[in-house]
Amino acid sequence: EVQLVESGGGLVQPGRSLRLSCTASGFTFGDYLVSWFRQAPGKGLEWVGFIRSKAYGGTAEYAASVKGTFTISRDDSKSIAYLQMNSLKTEDTAMYYCTRSVGTGWPFDYWGRGTLVTVSS
Amino acid sequence: DIVMTQSPDSLAVSLGERATINCKSSQSVFYSSNNKNYLGWYQQKPGQPPKVLIYWASTRESGVPDRFSGSGSGTDFTLTISSLQAEDVAVYYCHQYYSPPYTFGQGTKLEIK
């Protein structure tokens, strides 16, 4: 069974950092692109960024709103993807979901249940 | 960026009746080389992650009831629920994965009349 489990969320002060993890199981993690999405309380869905599989260079792309402050990485040996979030702002408060797809231009078929990040003083 | 606009924002339909949600993209999400529309539909119930219903505009995800169908091409798309069931109460989102930044419609809240 395919599973994606996010962890690492919590309450953090503005300006601080947080690292989220996405632990995968039930499939060959290294063969897939991993993407992060977020959803602010009561709001819609927003793409944060993705990291390609090593077969496609392992490179990442980001939404303009997080470029330069968020970094996505992956450890295929552990089947884990990370979202490093620096210089957090109150507007980064959201549920963060990780997802997978075959590659760029493919749909996201499995989503984790999410981890909540609250940025507040 | 490709802007996705859904209509209506909310919808109330009687049980057993048809529900129709529209989605318009600011530019085409159709790729002629493979004849595919890079458009998906998601269902989200309170406290749950989004669940994919439809991808490539009209392909139903495995396990999704056949009362859900998607249609359209280019910039105009429709999600239809042929006979509304109580468990279909949710927010529905269209989503383009044609090019990053991947974007979503604002969501349509579907309720029972």
Side-chain angles (χ1 to χ4, degrees), chain A:
Chain A
E1 179 193 6
V2 172
Q3 283 197 315
L4 297 164
V5 179
E6 303 90 341
S7 60
L11 175 63
V12 61
Q13 293 179 327
R16 303 298 290 265
S17 298
L18 201 62
R19 188 179 78 162
L20 306 183
S21 299
C22 170
T23 304
S25 61
F27 64 101
T28 305
F29 180 76
D31 290 347
Y32 285 80
L33 173 151
V34 175
S35 188
W36 289 90
F37 292 85
R38 67 183 179 182
Q39 187 171 35
K43 302 297 184 183
L45 295 159
E46 179 187 15
W47 174 71
V48 172
F50 64 64
I51 186 165
R52 296 177 176 86
S53 65
K54 292 288 195 294
Y56 289 93
T59 53
E61 294 193 30
Y62 302 93
S65 57
V66 305
K67 195 170 185 179
T69 58
F70 287 15
T71 302
I72 300 173
S73 60
R74 63 190 300 157
D75 184 340
D76 292 348
S77 68
K78 297 180 179 178
S79 296
I80 300 178
Y82 301 99
L83 176 63
Q84 176 68 43
M85 305 184 292
N86 298 330
S87 304
L88 282 161
K89 308 170 187 174
T90 55
E91 52 263 41
D92 294 318
T93 293
M95 183 71 79
Y96 285 75
Y97 298 102
C98 74
T99 68
R100 71 160 201 182
S101 76
V102 172
T104 54
W106 285 83
F108 297 96
D109 57 355
Y110 282 90
W111 292 57
R113 296 200 61 83
T115 187
L116 181 63
V117 173
T118 303
V119 184
S120 174
S121 54

Side-chain angles (χ1 to χ4, degrees), chain B residues 13-31:
Chain B
V13 175
S14 301
L15 289 173
E17 296 299 305
R18 177 184 299 258
T20 301
I21 300 170
N22 300 300
C23 174
K24 189 174 185 66
S25 57
S26 61
Q27 64 188 74
S28 176
V29 296
F30 176 73
Y31 196 35

Side-chain angles (χ1 to χ4, degrees), chain B residues 78-89:
Chain B
T78 300
L79 174 70
T80 301
I81 307 172
S82 60
S83 176
L84 189 71
Q85 305 300 303
E87 60 265 31
D88 300 335
V89 169

Side-chain angles (χ1 to χ4, degrees), chain B residues 16-75:
Chain B
E17 296 299 305
R18 177 184 299 258
T20 301
I21 300 170
N22 300 300
C23 174
K24 189 174 185 66
S25 57
S26 61
Q27 64 188 74
S28 176
V29 296
F30 176 73
Y31 196 35
S32 57
S33 67
N34 60 7
N35 203 36
K36 288 185 182 294
N37 288 282
Y38 287 54
L39 188 284
W41 288 96
Y42 289 88
Q43 175 193 66
Q44 188 177 32
K45 297 181 179 180
Q48 296 185 20
K51 171 189 172 184
V52 64
L53 298 175
I54 303 283
Y55 52 92
W56 306 127
S58 60
T59 301
R60 198 180 304 113
E61 172 73 329
S62 175
V64 172
D66 61 7
R67 63 180 180 274
F68 291 91
S69 63
S71 62
S73 184
T75 61

